[in-house]
Amino acid sequence: MATSSGKTSTPTPLASKRPLPKDPSSEVPSKKKSSAPPLSLSGHFVEGSIVRIAMENFLTYDICEVCPGPHLNMIIGANGTGKSSIVCAICLGLAGKPAFMGRADKVGFFVKRGCSKGMVEIELFRSSGNLVITREIDVAKNQSFWFINKKSTTQKVVEEQVAALNIQVGNLCQFLPQTSCKEKTEYLEKMVQRNERYKQDVERFYERKRHLDLIEMLEAKRPWVEYENVRQEYEEVKLARDRVKDEVRKLKDGQIPITRRIEEIEMQRHNLEAQIKAKATDIKETSQKCKQKQDVIERKDKHIEELQQALIVKQNAELDRQRRISNTRKMIEDLQNELRTTENCVNLQPQIDDITNDLRRVQDEKESCESEIIDKLKERETLEKEKKSVNDQIVQFDNLMNQKEDKLRQRYRDTYDAVLWLRNNRDKFKQRVYEPIMLTINMKDNKNAKYVENHIPPNDLRAFVFESQEDMEVFLKEVRDNKKLRVNAVIAPRSSYADRAPSRSLNELKQYGFFSYLRELFDAPAPVMSYLCSQYHIHEVPVGTERTRERIERVIQETRLKQMYTAEEKYVVKTSFYSNKVISSNTSLKVAQFLTVTVDLEQRRHLEEHLKEINRKLQAVESGLIALREKNKHLEHKDNELRQRKKELLERKNKKRQLEQKISSKLGSLKLMEQDTCNLEEEERKANTKIKEINVQKAKLVTELTNLIKICTSLHIQKVDLILQNTTVISEKNKLESDYMAASSQLRVKEQHFIELDENRQRLLQKCKELMRRARQVCNLGAEQTVPQEYQTQVPNIPNGHNSSPPMAFQDLPNTLDEIDALLTEERSRASCFTGLNPTVVEEYTKREEEIEQLTEELKIKKVELDKYRESISQVKERWLNPLKELVEKINEKFSNFFSSMQCAGEVDLHIENEEDYDKYGIRIRVKFRSSTQLHELTPHHQSGGERSVSTMLYLMALQELNRCPFRVVDEINQGMDPINERRVFEMVVNTACKENTSQYFFITPKLLQNLPYSEKMTVLFVYNGPHMLEPNRWNLKAFQRRRRRITFTQPSQ
């Protein structure tokens, strides 16, 4: 018996060998290491059969040992338990390739995960002594170490020993793993194709070469043609330059007389300008003298004007003095008349004193009123500041509320539109309707918002809360039905849950780290709070800290809370209805999105009431201010009247004294004006005398000025005559200079043209040299090397002094660049049409021709040898083919019998495509599973998977008696069969494999049909896995049997 050492909940395979109660000697201990089976079984094993399979750290096994029987071994177990692992152990233990199993290409992958080494041990029956083959696998090196009978050896020796026992793990007829059950057809690739490039390719190659040679000649001639074109252009430019050079010389000779005449006129102009300058100097001096005389005359005129103006001023002053004296006398007369009419003002003082007392009393009342106004203004200012502060606080609350509403609008636009409709239509409802819960909830601390949002679903957070069913129906009809808005609505419980106490006191829970219930984390209107308590039991859900999470298992066991929160997680605790086990689940808290904005609605209501009170006080203050201002206005009016009356009395009291003072002052002024007299006749006589004297001096100055003007006029006439002469000279000079400039401009144009032609000549000369160098380079000629005579034509003159010519072959080619370029394009296009040609095609063609000649000679020799070989092969073929046909006929007979027993038809024949192609010989299987069809070849496409599995199994059974091998392995061959075919095949396998002297048989399957026939010679191995497997060292089949017998004997007879 074989067991696994695994103790964990990971599935661990367990293999169970068939117990033989009638023959206890057949039991094999779990750690049996003997080299041969018991003597009573030795006669049943055939040479090379498997006696024992041991595995350690191999695939799913920790330690496992399997002892199969000599005949049919049924290995049964659920998928994944480790049935195929036993097959892998057989294959790898007998030097099979890892890739043959279809699992991995490296042997290290077959070692159990987490282990560094694994071991497979196979014990084979041998009449001379059992053969124990051990394979140790090193994962790190992906290397195997081989042992035969505990002695180190090599894989090659193991393969020889296995082959000596006629074991072929790579033969599908002996070893059919799970991944090879489906028929696979191998196709051979066709070998070497004949060469495709023959004579036609060579001709195309030479045709292309002719085009390329012509292109090469055209490309060689093109530089010579280009050189000749440039040379001719150079000669033309040189002739043009020489013509322009003669024209420049003629223009320069024609400018010499003009230059000389211009120099003469320039000297004459200098003389005239000197004379004009001298006359201008004389005119300037004479003009200065005239200017001096004119200045003196003007000063005399100004002096006369000043004397006349002074006389007029004195006359006007005397007239003004007489007028002022007259006015002063009239004013004195008027003041004296007013003084005589003024009453006596002695009795006005008592009236003035009474008015002064009344005025003092009014001013006191006015000061008191103004003081009261100032106090009222200060009170109003204080109230306005307080009002502004309250308004600012309300605005802050409104801003916070707007933030919540913005979040609602962004996430749930329909709900936001419904809120706006509700605010405008509250009169349609009988009882109060509350806006969505997320707007009415006010968190006491923003950091706790995540608990509430994770506890209350979003659908309820955006739900409207109603106190009556009728109001809710009206709301939903308007909003949902008419406005087509998607909104949620709930009804608050009739009996309030808001003030219900929790089932456990918070003080009891503080020891676990809980600091509050959800209900205490926020404020909300009573109906909203009542709904949340009844629906989500927020008064029963505590909120804890990180300390709560650290001791969560103790909290769950001791508190029996159904829901709770830690710092970052939500825990839900349930009790299983079936097992009464406590099941807890935890989820991470999502970040709060809506309730992070806190708005204290109660405080906002208090602020609004306070604002109303402030407005009432402001109205009272304004009323008081209006009354005080009216009173102050009345006192001001009365004060003005008293002041006016006092002013009038004071003016009446002081008027007589003022009149007397004015009369005295005016009399003094009149006396002074009468004393200040002036003799106008004397002043006029003095002024006339001075004016006569000045006029005499002025007449003398005018005579002198007239003489100077005559002299200046004569000088001006002389100067004008000189200027006219100078103008004539300048005009002649300008004409000569214009002619000279025109000639110079023409000369410059010609010189510039000459320079351009000379530069063009130099450029063309250099270009000719460069083109000559390129032409020689194309023709592979040196700088001083002459062209060979057989390629020479007319030798052109080369500007650099050298003589050369293009080859004679050029004379048949076009002589213009356009024609050469056109022909080049045409030839290149033709050459490009020859694609896919390899330059080595000619060499290969020539070489192939030589090889063909050699092969022709060799074939003549080989043909003689082939005739001899054919004669010899015919003799060998008779000895080999006839026994092969007989063997195939025997296989066909057994195969057909198996199919006939299943009411089907099948046959096996030798398939030959070409009698001389022995590699293509093969076995062809044709089957028919329905009477209405014909025999068809077994292929992956024509038959179903189950039909192919049945055919494969029956073919293996047909080989059972004809092809002797120690054992056969078939892995899950029955998976694709229907129940009828599976039962028939199983009966055939049992009958065939349990005969005497037959090969050992391993049949692996995950399931079997019920009521199948079994033989005493079968061995059934069950593979189990699970977390409660018995350890291998505790497995004792004999002890199990003894315990079973004791239990049976002690049972009372019925």
Side-chain angles (χ1 to χ4, degrees), residues 7 13 82 181 258 473 636 877 881 902:
K7 294 182 180 179
C181 288
I258 298 175
E473 291 176 355
E636 185 74 25
K877 180 180 178 181
L881 185 59
M902 296 176 59

Side-chain angles (χ1 to χ4, degrees), residues 355-363 639 642-643 646:
I355 291 173
T356 301
N357 293 331
D358 293 339
L359 186 60
R360 187 177 296 110
R361 179 177 52 78
V362 170
Q363 288 178 347
D639 180 81
L642 292 173
R643 289 180 182 275
K646 183 178 180 181

Side-chain angles (χ1 to χ4, degrees), residues 220 223-224 770-783:
W224 292 98
E770 178 63 22
L771 290 174
M772 172 59 73
R773 184 187 63 78
R774 284 172 51 192
R776 285 179 168 275
Q777 185 177 359
V778 169
C779 295
N780 294 324
L781 298 175

Side-chain angles (χ1 to χ4, degrees), residues 314-374:
K314 289 179 179 180
Q315 291 174 350
N316 292 334
E318 180 61 22
L319 293 174
D320 183 62
R321 186 179 69 84
Q322 293 296 333
R323 186 172 58 254
R324 284 189 288 111
I325 290 172
S326 175
N327 291 336
T328 302
R329 287 175 179 173
K330 186 177 180 182
M331 290 177 64
I332 291 171
E333 183 179 357
D334 292 338
L335 289 172
Q336 288 175 349
N337 292 333
E338 186 179 357
L339 181 62
R340 285 193 295 270
T341 61
T342 302
E343 63 176 338
N344 189 4
C345 299
V346 179
N347 297 325
L348 293 177
Q349 187 61 40
Q351 297 180 16
I352 293 173
D353 293 339
D354 293 338
I355 291 173
T356 301
N357 293 331
D358 293 339
L359 186 60
R360 187 177 296 110
R361 179 177 52 78
V362 170
Q363 288 178 347
D364 292 339
E365 292 179 2
K366 184 179 176 183
E367 288 178 0
S368 176
C369 183
E370 288 177 349
S371 177
E372 291 180 6
I373 290 174
I374 291 172

Side-chain angles (χ1 to χ4, degrees), residues 881 884-893 895-896 906-913 920-927 935-938 955:
L881 185 59
L884 176 62
K885 289 181 178 179
E886 293 176 0
L887 178 61
V888 172
E889 185 62 32
K890 292 179 181 179
I891 295 172
N892 178 49
E893 180 180 357
F895 186 75
S896 299
E907 65 178 27
V908 178
D909 61 0
L910 185 63
H911 180 66
I912 301 174
E913 292 182 359
K920 299 296 179 65
Y921 279 32
I923 297 295
R924 180 173 61 184
I925 301 175
R926 296 192 299 165
V927 296
L935 286 170
H936 291 284
E937 186 174 355
L938 185 66
Y955 179 73

Side-chain angles (χ1 to χ4, degrees), residues 360-481:
R360 187 177 296 110
R361 179 177 52 78
V362 170
Q363 288 178 347
D364 292 339
E365 292 179 2
K366 184 179 176 183
E367 288 178 0
S368 176
C369 183
E370 288 177 349
S371 177
E372 291 180 6
I373 290 174
I374 291 172
D375 293 339
K376 289 291 183 182
L377 289 173
K378 289 181 179 180
E379 183 180 359
R380 186 179 70 176
E381 183 180 359
T382 302
L383 289 173
E384 287 178 347
K385 288 181 179 179
E386 189 175 357
K387 179 181 177 180
K388 184 177 182 303
S389 176
V390 172
N391 280 328
D392 290 343
Q393 294 181 41
I394 292 174
V395 169
Q396 290 178 1
F397 279 109
D398 290 341
N399 290 337
L400 294 175
M401 197 66 185
N402 289 336
Q403 291 180 19
K404 296 179 74 174
E405 292 176 2
D406 286 342
K407 291 184 178 181
L408 177 65
R409 177 175 54 80
Q410 293 171 6
R411 185 68 179 274
Y412 306 110
R413 184 54 187 257
D414 286 0
T415 305
Y416 176 77
D417 293 341
V419 170
L420 298 180
W421 181 89
L422 175 63
R423 292 175 180 174
N424 296 326
N425 298 275
R426 288 191 181 273
D427 56 343
K428 294 184 178 182
F429 304 100
K430 296 179 180 180
Q431 298 186 23
R432 185 172 180 182
V433 179
Y434 296 92
E435 294 181 357
I437 294 176
M438 67 173 62
L439 297 181
T440 57
I441 282 180
N442 184 50
M443 298 301 302
K444 295 179 180 178
D445 191 344
N446 293 343
K447 67 181 180 181
N448 296 325
K450 59 184 177 182
Y451 303 117
V452 180
E453 287 196 21
N454 280 272
H455 193 75
I456 304 174
N459 286 339
D460 269 6
L461 280 176
R462 62 189 180 96
F464 293 81
V465 181
F466 295 83
E467 294 182 340
S468 72
Q469 181 71 27
E470 183 180 356
D471 286 346
M472 187 174 74
E473 291 176 355
V474 171
F475 175 80
L476 294 178
K477 182 177 180 181
E478 290 289 339
V479 175
R480 279 189 183 174
D481 299 340

Side-chain angles (χ1 to χ4, degrees), residues 591-774:
V591 179
Q593 298 180 356
F594 300 106
L595 302 181
T596 54
V597 179
T598 301
V599 180
D600 193 342
L601 298 179
E602 186 64 23
Q603 185 178 356
R604 189 183 187 282
R605 187 179 60 79
H606 287 317
L607 288 172
E608 289 179 346
E609 292 177 355
H610 186 41
L611 182 63
K612 292 179 181 178
E613 180 65 22
I614 292 172
N615 288 331
R616 187 186 60 76
K617 290 181 179 179
L618 280 172
Q619 290 177 359
V621 170
E622 286 294 335
S623 300
L625 277 172
I626 292 171
L628 288 172
R629 283 170 177 161
E630 287 295 329
K631 181 180 178 181
N632 188 55
K633 185 177 180 182
H634 176 70
L635 293 173
E636 185 74 25
H637 181 68
K638 190 174 182 179
D639 180 81
N640 291 334
E641 289 180 352
L642 292 173
R643 289 180 182 275
Q644 186 64 28
R645 287 174 59 190
K646 183 178 180 181
K647 182 180 179 182
E648 291 175 354
L649 292 175
L650 289 174
E651 287 177 352
R652 287 171 60 188
K653 180 180 179 182
N654 296 327
K655 189 173 182 181
K656 183 177 180 181
R657 186 171 62 253
Q658 290 175 354
L659 290 173
E660 291 175 350
Q661 289 176 355
K662 288 181 179 180
I663 292 171
S664 175
S665 175
K666 294 297 181 182
L667 289 173
S669 297
L670 180 61
K671 185 178 181 180
L672 291 174
M673 284 187 292
E674 289 177 345
Q675 290 177 356
D676 188 15
T677 59
C678 179
N679 190 353
L680 290 177
E681 295 178 356
E682 182 64 22
E683 292 295 332
E684 184 177 356
R685 185 184 58 78
K686 290 180 180 179
N688 289 331
T689 303
K690 290 182 179 180
I691 290 171
K692 288 180 180 178
E693 292 177 357
I694 293 170
N695 283 331
V696 172
Q697 297 174 2
K698 183 180 176 183
K700 184 179 179 180
L701 290 172
V702 168
T703 302
E704 294 176 356
L705 177 61
T706 302
N707 295 330
L708 290 173
I709 289 173
K710 291 179 180 179
I711 296 171
C712 186
T713 302
S714 174
L715 292 173
H716 272 293
I717 292 171
Q718 296 175 9
K719 180 181 177 183
V720 169
D721 184 40
L722 292 172
I723 290 173
L724 289 174
Q725 295 179 20
N726 187 42
T727 302
T728 302
V729 172
I730 292 173
S731 176
E732 185 180 359
K733 178 188 175 185
N734 290 339
K735 184 177 181 303
L736 290 173
E737 287 179 346
S738 177
D739 295 340
Y740 181 81
M741 291 297 293
S744 298
S745 176
Q746 187 177 3
L747 178 62
R748 284 195 299 273
V749 171
K750 291 295 182 180
E751 288 178 342
Q752 182 64 29
H753 191 197
F754 172 78
I755 293 171
E756 292 174 356
L757 290 173
D758 190 60
E759 291 176 353
N760 195 14
R761 183 188 67 82
Q762 294 291 338
R763 179 181 61 79
L764 291 173
L765 178 61
Q766 294 297 326
K767 190 173 181 180
C768 284
K769 294 179 180 180
E770 178 63 22
L771 290 174
M772 172 59 73
R773 184 187 63 78
R774 284 172 51 192

